[in-house]
C-alpha cells in the first residue's frame, strides 16, 4: 500500500514493540516505527521510537502530545 502525505509517498509503515502505560486519566503509548518512503523523489528507510500521550476527558481520550527519536542507526 502506498500513501501520499504532501511530498512524501510511503511504501511501508509498521509499528511494533507497542507498550501503553495508564496513570489515572493519562496514558502514554510507546512503539518502534519502521518507515520506508520517498520524499521529493529521495528514498528513505529507517526505524525510530515514538511516544504519544493521551488524556481522558468527559467525551473520551484526547491526543495531547507526541515525540519521536532521531532515526536509529542501521545494525
Amino acid at each position: 500500500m502506498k500513501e501520499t502525505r504532501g511530498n512524501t509517498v510511503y511504501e511501508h509503515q509498521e509499528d511494533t514493540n507497542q507498550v501503553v502505560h495508564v496513570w489515572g486519566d493519562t496514558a502514554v503509548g510507546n512503539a518502534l516505527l519502521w518507515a520506508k518512503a520517498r520524499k521529493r523523489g529521495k528514498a528513505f528507510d529507517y526505524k525510530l521510537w515514538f511516544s504519544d500521550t493521551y488524556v481522558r476527558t468527559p467525551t473520551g481520550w484526547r491526543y495531547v502530545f507526541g515525540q519521536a527519536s532521531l532515526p536509529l542507526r542501521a545494525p
Side-chain angles (χ1 to χ4, degrees):
M1 173 185 86
K2 291 190 178 185
E3 181 181 343
T4 303
R5 291 188 193 156
N7 294 321
T8 305
V9 178
Y10 287 89
E11 296 176 25
H12 186 88
Q13 285 194 79
E14 176 182 353
D15 53 56
T16 59
N17 299 54
Q18 298 173 349
V19 177
V20 177
H21 298 279
V22 179
W23 299 276
D25 291 333
T26 303
V28 177
N30 302 299
L32 179 64
L33 173 69
W34 170 31
K36 182 177 182 181
R38 298 187 79 74
K39 184 171 186 173
R40 296 185 189 101
K42 184 177 178 183
F44 66 82
D45 184 346
Y46 60 77
K47 291 183 178 181
L48 58 79
W49 286 101
F50 72 91
S51 298
D52 289 330
T53 303
Y54 295 83
V55 174
R56 188 186 339 245
T57 70
T59 58
W61 289 95
R62 182 176 177 128
Y63 176 81
V64 294
F65 182 76
Q67 65 181 16
S69 71
L70 294 172
L72 304 174
R73 293 185 191 177

